[in-house]
Amino acid sequence: MASISFDDAAHLLRRMGFGGSPDELDQLAAFGSREAAVDHLLNYDRIDDSALDNLTAQKFQINDPPLDNTKFNPQELRRLWFTRMILTKRQFQEKITLFWHNHFATAISKVNQEVLMQVQNNTLRANALARFDDLLLKVAQDPAMLIWLDTLQNVRGNTNENWARELQELFTMGIKDVVTGETNYSQTDITEIARAFTGWNFTRPPASDPFNYTFRFNTNSHDNGLKTIYSGTASAVTSNLDGKDVIPIICNRPATARFLVKKFFDFFVYPLDFTTKQDRNTADALAAVYLSHDHSIKEFARAIFTSDEFWSDRARYALIKTPPEFVVGPIRMFGATYNPGGPTAQRDNSIFQRSALLGMDCYDPPDVSGWDLNSAWVNTASMLDRYNVANTLATTRTQNPTTQQGAFITIDQLRKYTKASTKKTVKGFISVLNVSTDKPTINSLRQYLDADTPFDPSTDTVIDQKVRGLVHLIMCLPEFQLS
Amino acid sequence: MPTTRRQFIKQSVGAVTASMLIPKFGFTQANGQSIDPAANLAHKLVVIQFSGGNDGLSNIIPYSDSRYYQLRPDISLQPSELKDDTGATTMINNDLALHPRLKEIKQLYDAGKVALIVGVDESDKQSLSHFEGTTNLAAGGLSGTIPNGGWLGRYASQAFAGQPGFYAAGIGSLPQMFYTPDTSYVIPSISSFAQYTFQTDARNTRDRNNQITAFTAGNSRSFDSGAFIDTVARAGAKGFTDSITIQTETAKYAPQGYPNTGLANLLKMVAQLIVTIPTSALFHVSIGGFDFHQNLVANVNGQVNKLVNGQAGLLMQFSQAVKAFYDDLDAHGFSQNTLIMTYSEFGRRPQQNGTMGCDHGRASAWYVIGGSVKGGVYGQQPSLSSLDRNGNLVGNVDLRSIYATVLDKWLNHDSRSVLGASFDNVGFLN
């Protein structure tokens, strides 16, 4: 068992969640070992989240039938999810749901029904750590996905290849094996698998039970003929396959296991470089965990978060923050003072809008490949947007955060970490915001506090002006863009 | 010979030195050859991406070919339908016609300002993946990855690195085509002029300069080249520097007369930059939605309508936006020295599918438009009788030859230094 420091806890919670306050990090470090801390975050169903459930029940009306667009709409869909991200005690649950949303990227711009997007989000959350086969089958039968990739139009004699193609290219294997470079499937496999998924459909629920969609198999539009897939490989099959038969075949291919390692590493650890033997070995070792643990995502995730790779120096600050991490992270690091507003008035839409501005409008990915990660978040416009979002968070004041909707850094929170000296003040805030930087940068921040008049934090006026400026500047540092 | 990364870094250093000697527009090409900066900067390039896989057969219609009607019984356009909303024909010769919603493009074509390139293809090995296709096109090669950036990112690095000033931008997004081979040169991305600014505490404005001083110190440090932290610091510093120029200059001209569509709004921003910032030279915009697995031809209230939504809607948006942009540039004296080119990651299958659409295919049609273009049809219309083993069109114009033509003949830049090999001149420029 490896011991866990405060900085280790911060690293772990930035990756398995969105980040935490110094108190939360102390509590996580108090588990005593990295394995125990990972186990705690992984078994999130044992963590009491009733405070969040009670709050969302008060602040949202999505469950009130009959469906009413004033009660539930695309804005409310997003307000609900970001409220969860900011306030949940089950941080990994929301983080991995975000991961799966990016993996099985489905856009409301085509699905066009917020209820179906919520149904899919619930499905991803409920099955996030299940066997991959089970999650994939739920996704394949999910109404939003059936619409998004045209499966509803995929019928006997008139196939539509959209789902069959992306199932293989984006959701499971990739065109080529990420490690060996071998081609994973052919155009024939796409055509044959499209035939296997013909006749997949869904039944709409009654208005009294608006989220309870059920899968429906239309025998009449299913192509029950023989299909041959993966001819010439170890997975070759000829049979009158249905989609349900295809999924376990794909999930059991080593190429799928290696593809999942790549996807998890890009999002949670560091980008792998498959031209190096070291990273090929990493992929093979973790792919073996997936294959030997019955495709359990939970055990796969446990192996990743307890791996030497995850805790290595190479992994520290090795990812560029996603927009939700950039937007939600600092709120949580200051102790999550957040009032989502609602249910009917004064709804806070600012948080999801900030994430959208920075390039990740949840529920509306640019295309089925989801959002590209890391350096793809970075361009001159998105960097200016990050600085301005940081400025908004740092400088939006409130007299009463319990009654006013929105996210704030309160004067009490600022006072808590402000010390008499500029050095201790700067070090305090860079620690709260999980930044590690060099001495010249610390000095330039100290000079900022001392500019014009020597720093005297004995009055709230100085704290309100200069320390808010300091928080903004720390969030503008290159180091803060990294997780 | 392909430019290796090491060579490139060395060459960039050379370019910086040159810029110190020649303060304003002069610069030295990567290989040390001096090029005519006036000729280069005077020629502006605006690239329009058709994202999703543009169906070439819906752009340039082979109306004389009976196979076209056999393959597309429901979504083809009959000869009687090949006219615009004023009744003017959109046929361009005895075999081909433009889509009826390309009215303004047809007018520009008749004026000799449009090159239609048919049968633009990548390779018979292509996966017809949107993502691999877009990356391959961006790279300007067939590698499937872009370790050395996109082709226009390589060009821009060679042409502009080390030069202070504003030369290029992705408008609306930063395309892979504009990825630079290393972090020594950053191409900006602009989505909104109003938001392209560095804000500080509105309640403490006299502290703004102090904040800018500390911000600049934090983001002008040197980091390991290529590390993520270097990427973010350089993008941030470049964004901040350009924001001052952008705020000052774009306020001087507000274009009028554009339709209120996504593409027109982006081209309007491009025009604003071209008119107000003399060094402006290279832009990219994108219009999405071409992935018509279904409803390439729309069903409106139970009736097939070939003139609204679907492919028709996107082509109309393109046609109207380009016309407004062209006219705006023309009014400011820029139509002769601005070249517009379109691209798409692939075409679509000639055989319609069961949902009034077409699945992924090969060999799309691209447009090159501008006052200096030699108008006409380039390439051979792909045969509808001899398709490849997957039922797709076989093209005859290597897309890299279009890049090479633009680099050599328009940007006066040796295409081999960008593409790593020589390609034929397609001939649409003098």
Side-chain angles (χ1 to χ4, degrees):
Chain A
M1 302 285 266
S3 64
I4 179 167
S5 68
F6 182 87
D7 285 348
D8 288 342
H11 170 62
L12 183 62
L13 203 53
R14 283 196 307 274
R15 299 293 177 82
M16 289 187 80
F18 299 87
S21 68
D23 287 348
E24 280 176 273
L25 299 180
D26 282 335
Q27 287 163 20
L28 195 56
F31 279 94
S33 73
R34 292 166 175 177
E35 291 80 357
V38 169
D39 189 65
H40 168 72
L41 294 169
L42 209 49
N43 286 300
Y44 48 68
D45 47 359
R46 297 179 199 156
I47 300 171
D48 176 17
D49 217 15
S50 55
L52 173 66
D53 296 337
N54 291 338
L55 181 84
T56 55
Q58 284 171 27
K59 300 290 192 181
F60 295 85
Q61 296 180 315
I62 73 165
N63 288 314
D64 289 358
L67 291 172
D68 175 342
N69 189 252
T70 66
K71 294 178 177 174
F72 191 50
N73 56 43
Q75 287 72 40
E76 287 296 274
L77 179 71
R78 294 166 166 102
R79 185 172 73 98
L80 176 60
W81 197 4
F82 276 85
T83 298
R84 298 185 66 98
M85 289 185 219
I86 297 172
L87 295 176
T88 184
K89 295 193 188 320
R90 301 174 170 186
Q91 289 219 41
F92 188 53
Q93 183 171 44
E94 292 315 310
K95 191 66 172 283
I96 194 150
T97 303
L98 186 65
F99 170 82
W100 288 126
H101 175 48
N102 192 31
H103 185 84
F104 295 114
T106 305
I108 193 170
S109 58
K110 176 169 173 178
V111 175
N112 211 16
Q113 297 169 66
E114 54 273 11
V115 170
L116 293 188
M117 299 309 294
Q118 185 65 51
V119 167
Q120 186 184 77
N121 187 258
N122 294 345
T123 297
L124 295 177
R125 188 176 290 100
N127 298 280
L129 296 180
R131 295 180 68 241
F132 185 60
D133 309 44
D134 297 340
L135 172 64
L136 185 57
L137 179 61
K138 297 271 190 196
V139 169
Q141 298 185 340
D142 170 69
M145 185 61 82
L146 291 168
I147 294 170
W148 171 234
L149 292 183
D150 301 329
T151 314
L152 298 182
Q153 283 79 36
N154 182 37
V155 294
R156 178 164 48 93
N158 268 330
T159 54
N160 181 309
E161 298 171 2
N162 207 358
W163 160 260
R165 174 184 291 276
E166 307 307 2
L167 167 69
Q168 299 176 87
E169 177 176 345
L170 299 173
F171 299 162
T172 58
M173 297 178 285
I175 297 169
K176 296 191 176 90
D177 188 297
V178 295
V179 174
T180 67
E182 287 166 35
T183 298
N184 282 324
Y185 56 91
S186 66
Q187 175 63 39
T188 308
D189 294 324
I190 295 174
T191 310
E192 294 288 276
I193 288 175
R195 291 175 58 216
F197 281 91
T198 47
W200 284 39
N201 214 304
F202 63 82
T203 301
R204 287 185 187 281
S208 59
D209 193 9
F211 291 91
N212 192 18
Y213 281 75
T214 48
F215 174 70
R216 189 176 80 235
F217 181 72
N218 286 346
T219 314
N220 288 341
S221 43
H222 179 69
D223 178 342
N224 200 34
L226 288 178
K227 298 112 189 165
T228 298
I229 62 171
Y230 306 131
S231 171
T233 76
S235 317
V237 182
T238 300
S239 171
N240 60 342
L241 297 166
D242 173 45
K244 280 213 290 282
D245 307 314
V246 171
I247 283 174
I249 294 169
I250 295 179
C251 289
N252 204 36
R253 297 190 88 187
T256 296
R258 291 192 279 260
F259 185 79
L260 289 174
V261 175
K262 175 181 158 43
K263 294 290 303 245
F264 270 73
F265 264 64
D266 280 349
F267 194 85
F268 289 111
V269 188
Y270 50 67
L272 288 165
D273 175 2
F274 293 110
T275 64
T276 69
K277 189 163 198 313
Q278 185 190 355
D279 284 7
R280 290 196 298 271
N281 288 344
T282 298
D284 284 338
L286 289 161
V289 172
Y290 164 88
L291 291 170
S292 66
H293 285 76
D294 194 28
H295 310 173
S296 162
I297 300 162
K298 186 175 181 179
E299 292 314 310
F300 181 59
R302 185 194 304 280
I304 288 171
F305 290 114
T306 56
S307 68
D308 291 343
E309 287 78 11
F310 180 79
W311 294 100
S312 66
D313 286 349
R314 177 179 167 192
R316 308 292 170 118
Y317 299 103
L319 300 173
I320 295 176
K321 283 176 180 164
T322 63
E325 289 172 311
F326 185 88
V327 168
V328 172
I331 302 171
R332 295 202 68 125
M333 290 169 186
F334 275 102
T337 305
Y338 182 62
N339 174 352
T344 54
Q346 296 180 320
R347 294 163 173 167
D348 177 42
N349 292 337
S350 68
I351 306 299
F352 70 77
Q353 286 170 352
R354 289 176 199 173
S355 180
L357 177 68
L358 300 186
M360 193 166 184
D361 184 11
C362 285
Y363 295 108
D364 201 11
D367 55 51
V368 60
S369 71
W371 292 270
D372 287 343
L373 302 174
N374 294 311
S375 50
W377 297 121
V378 180
N379 57 61
T380 58
S382 68
M383 291 312 299
L384 288 171
D385 290 336
R386 282 187 181 219
Y387 306 147
N388 295 337
V389 162
N391 183 57
T392 303
L393 177 66
T395 65
T396 305
R397 281 93 168 167
T398 179
Q399 297 302 316
N400 190 341
T402 54
T403 56
Q404 191 175 349
Q405 80 279 10
F408 305 97
I409 300 170
T410 64
I411 196 78
D412 291 341
Q413 287 167 330
L414 294 174
R415 208 187 288 116
K416 185 172 174 183
Y417 304 107
T418 302
K419 308 295 175 199
S421 82
T422 57
K423 186 173 183 179
K424 285 187 176 166
T425 301
V426 169
K427 290 199 164 176
F429 281 95
I430 65 172
S431 170
V432 169
L433 288 166
N434 285 203
V435 163
S436 158
T437 188
D438 53 27
K439 197 151 182 239
T441 303
I442 289 173
N443 285 342
S444 74
L445 294 170
R446 292 177 65 190
Q447 282 160 16
Y448 163 73
L449 289 176
D450 269 335
D452 299 336
T453 45
F455 184 59
D456 171 14
S458 61
T459 67
D460 280 357
T461 308
V462 170
I463 293 176
D464 188 63
Q465 295 191 331
K466 297 299 289 195
V467 179
R468 288 192 188 280
L470 175 68
V471 169
H472 175 214
L473 287 169
I474 292 172
M475 290 177 69
C476 291
L477 289 177
E479 288 89 343
F480 186 76
Q481 314 312 317
L482 306 178
S483 169
Chain B
M1 185 191 73
T3 307
T4 66
R5 185 187 176 90
R6 172 178 297 206
Q7 280 174 325
F8 177 74
I9 291 167
K10 237 167 77 184
Q11 289 155 355
S12 303
V13 173
V16 172
T17 313
S19 76
M20 291 169 179
L21 300 173
I22 309 166
K24 205 165 179 204
F25 289 133
F27 51 83
T28 301
Q29 205 180 350
N31 57 13
Q33 255 181 327
S34 91
I35 59 172
D36 178 2
N40 191 313
L41 286 179
H43 279 183
K44 302 172 190 306
L45 176 64
V46 179
V47 181
I48 303 177
Q49 176 187 27
F50 285 12
S51 180
N54 178 31
D55 177 43
L57 294 175
S58 295
N59 288 250
I60 298 162
I61 291 138
Y63 70 90
S64 66
D65 190 338
S66 59
R67 281 285 289 160
Y68 164 66
Y69 296 100
Q70 288 162 14
L71 290 164
R72 299 187 164 195
D74 303 308
I75 63 169
S76 51
L77 287 151
Q78 298 299 323
S80 61
E81 295 171 307
L82 297 170
K83 52 181 192 275
D84 70 21
D85 60 1
T86 69
T89 180
T90 57
M91 293 175 184
I92 58 174
N93 59 34
N94 289 336
D95 298 313
L96 302 175
L98 287 165
H99 190 283
R101 286 304 195 188
L102 291 169
K103 174 170 75 172
E104 297 79 7
I105 296 293
K106 172 67 163 49
Q107 291 163 359
L108 286 167
Y109 180 87
D110 288 343
K113 313 289 188 201
V114 179
L116 302 169
I117 312 175
V118 294
V120 182
D121 209 2
E122 188 193 308
S123 132
D124 58 358
K125 302 279 192 314
Q126 64 186 302
S127 65
L128 301 185
S129 148
H130 294 294
F131 316 106
E132 201 170 90
T134 303
T135 299
N136 287 346
L137 259 68
L142 306 173
S143 62
T145 59
I146 46 172
N148 293 311
W151 71 283
L152 286 171
R154 290 196 293 277
Y155 159 70
S157 290
Q158 292 172 17
F160 309 135
Q163 304 296 311
F166 178 86
Y167 295 93
I171 303 298
S173 62
L174 187 69
Q176 290 183 55
M177 219 169 246
F178 277 15
Y179 285 8
T180 50
D182 61 39
T183 47
S184 68
Y185 183 67
V186 176
I187 299 184
S189 171
I190 306 174
S191 299
S192 145
F193 293 136
Q195 286 168 355
Y196 208 75
T197 183
F198 180 76
Q199 296 166 358
T200 54
D201 191 352
R203 297 248 201 114
N204 193 15
T205 51
R206 66 199 167 90
D207 204 34
R208 178 171 170 82
N209 286 339
N210 297 328
Q211 294 225 18
I212 287 174
T213 301
F215 166 82
T216 306
N219 283 281
S220 57
R221 287 172 288 160
S222 293
F223 298 100
D224 288 345
S225 177
F228 284 158
I229 196 165
D230 189 49
T231 305
V232 296
R234 284 180 186 266
K238 173 77 173 159
F240 175 75
T241 308
D242 281 346
S243 69
I244 296 160
T245 313
I246 299 289
Q247 291 302 317
T248 315
E249 298 303 319
T250 58
K252 295 174 182 169
Y253 173 58
Q256 305 290 325
Y258 286 74
N260 184 19
T261 62
L263 182 63
N265 288 328
L266 296 172
L267 289 175
K268 189 159 74 172
M269 291 174 70
V270 174
Q272 206 166 346
L273 291 164
I274 287 177
V275 169
T276 61
I277 301 179
T279 51
S280 291
L282 177 63
F283 297 97
H284 181 283
V285 299
S286 187
I287 171 173
F290 286 90
D291 193 20
F292 289 111
H293 289 277
Q294 57 173 311
N295 298 338
L296 185 139
V297 164
N299 186 316
V300 180
N301 301 325
Q303 297 286 316
V304 169
N305 187 330
K306 296 175 186 172
L307 294 177
V308 299
N309 303 334
Q311 186 81 21
L314 292 181
L315 292 180
M316 183 166 76
Q317 185 183 156
F318 163 67
S319 182
Q320 293 178 348
V322 165
K323 181 67 162 63
F325 180 62
Y326 186 90
D327 288 348
D328 192 8
L329 292 181
D330 200 45
H332 290 87
F334 289 103
S335 62
Q336 292 297 314
N337 65 345
T338 302
L339 191 74
I340 303 164
M341 70 171 279
T342 73
Y343 71 98
S344 190
E345 66 264 37
F346 46 65
R348 307 199 79 82
R349 202 163 298 164
Q351 171 88 62
Q352 71 177 62
N353 67 16
T355 52
M356 298 292 275
C358 298
D359 292 315
H360 300 182
R362 292 170 55 190
S364 189
W366 294 17
Y367 301 80
V368 181
I369 302 167
S372 300
V373 166
K374 287 196 315 199
V377 178
Y378 293 85
Q380 297 296 316
Q381 181 67 22
S383 163
L384 293 172
S385 319
S386 46
L387 303 173
D388 76 7
R389 66 187 185 286
N390 293 314
N392 286 320
L393 299 172
V394 178
N396 53 82
V397 178
D398 185 324
L399 61 93
R400 291 169 296 177
S401 64
I402 300 173
Y403 296 170
T405 306
V406 169
L407 287 162
D408 290 324
K409 300 292 173 185
W410 185 250
L411 300 173
N412 299 316
H413 193 94
D414 183 354
S415 63
R416 291 169 300 179
S417 72
V418 169
L419 301 174
S422 293
F423 295 94
D424 293 342
N425 174 9
V426 181
F428 50 79
L429 289 163
N430 280 311

